């Protein structure tokens, strides 16, 4: 058999979007305003879910790479905005480690707090700071599945030397989520741990191997 390639690409409108964007984003609020605008454009263009992220150089405050949710279009459940932004930044800088010696520290700015999958990816990326807009509860309120995260997840990142700042422009970011839900667009999740119309039986159980 011929194996397919896994290739994640950004929507075509992003190139023009970036050409009209600012050169630098000095404050967290500036960075988040850019990211929220990105998430809104992603739903207006119907190219993905209501989530976006971007990696910035913490020293120069310049954008390194943007990312938007492209799960449905790419047919890849891992194609969340944070994963895309981190991967794009690593390609731009030519390294898998955004905290590699000789590089400026980098910050990941996300329109919504990371889900369980993206939370797991953040420590391995090399970023030194995470800034979030909407909360996980905001995402769950429209039916999104954030997965199983430690209640004190910010502290788990901080213990690894990653600074965390929450609820920057939260209401603006959450409004994008609400607008997405109100539009009737697809709300996809991991079955939320229970039965739904696609299930063929009760939720799976976990047992110990003897």
């Amino acid at each position: 058999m011929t194996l397919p390639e896994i290739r994640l690409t950004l929507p075509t409108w992003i190139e023009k979007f970036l050409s009209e964007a600012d050169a630098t984003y000095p404050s967290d609020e500036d960075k988040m305003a850019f990211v929220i605008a990105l998430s809104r454009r992603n739903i207006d263009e119907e190219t993905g879910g209501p989530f976006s992220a971007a990696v910035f150089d913490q020293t120069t405050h310049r954008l390194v790479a943007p990312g938007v949710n492209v799960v449905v279009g790419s047919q890849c459940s891992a194609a969340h905005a944070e994963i895309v932004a981190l991967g794009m930044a690593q390609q731009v800088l030519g390294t898998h480690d955004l905290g590699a010696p000789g590089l400026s520290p980098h910050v990941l700015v996300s329109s919504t707090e990371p889900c369980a999958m993206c939370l797991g990816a953040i420590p391995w990326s090399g970023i030194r700071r995470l800034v979030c807009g909407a909360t996980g509860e905001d995402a769950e309120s429209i039916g999104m599945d954030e997965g199983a995260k430690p209640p004190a997840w910010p502290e788990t990142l901080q213990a690894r030397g990653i600074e965390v700042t929450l609820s920057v422009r939260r209401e603006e970011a959450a409004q994008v989520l609400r607008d997405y839900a109100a539009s009737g667009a697809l709300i996809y999740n991991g079955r939320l741990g229970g039965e739904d119309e696609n299930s063929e039986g009760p939720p799976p159980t976990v047992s110990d191997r003897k």
Side-chain angles (χ1 to χ4, degrees), residues 155-177:
E155 286 80 357
T156 68
L157 293 182
Q158 290 166 349
R160 301 181 68 124
I162 301 171
E163 180 185 346
V164 178
T165 302
L166 302 177
S167 297
V168 175
R169 294 183 179 264
R170 175 186 176 184
E171 180 55 30
E172 295 173 51
Q175 188 61 50
V176 176
L177 301 178

Side-chain angles (χ1 to χ4, degrees), residues 46-161:
E46 300 182 348
T47 46
F51 305 101
S52 62
V55 174
F56 296 87
D57 185 309
Q58 283 200 148
T59 302
T60 65
H61 303 292
R62 296 183 68 87
L63 173 70
V64 177
V68 293
N69 179 290
V70 289
V71 165
V72 176
S74 64
Q75 299 179 330
C76 177
S77 62
H80 288 199
E82 296 96 325
I83 301 295
V84 174
L86 291 170
M88 292 292 175
Q90 289 159 348
Q91 294 299 303
V92 167
L93 297 174
T95 176
H96 68 283
D97 183 4
L98 299 178
L103 290 182
S104 295
H106 289 85
V107 54
L108 174 66
V109 180
S110 179
S111 64
T112 304
E113 291 174 359
C115 68
M117 177 182 69
C118 296
L119 177 62
I122 285 170
W124 308 122
S125 69
I127 64 158
R128 301 271 43 94
R129 189 161 179 253
L130 171 67
V131 177
C132 302
T135 66
E137 289 78 12
D138 293 328
E140 289 173 341
S141 73
I142 69 165
M144 293 293 183
D145 181 5
E146 295 299 279
K149 298 193 295 184
W153 66 265
E155 286 80 357
T156 68
L157 293 182
Q158 290 166 349
R160 301 181 68 124

Side-chain angles (χ1 to χ4, degrees), residues 177-194:
L177 301 178
R178 293 191 290 266
D179 291 344
Y180 179 82
S183 74
L186 177 65
I187 301 292
Y188 48 86
N189 56 52
R191 307 291 180 270
L192 295 174

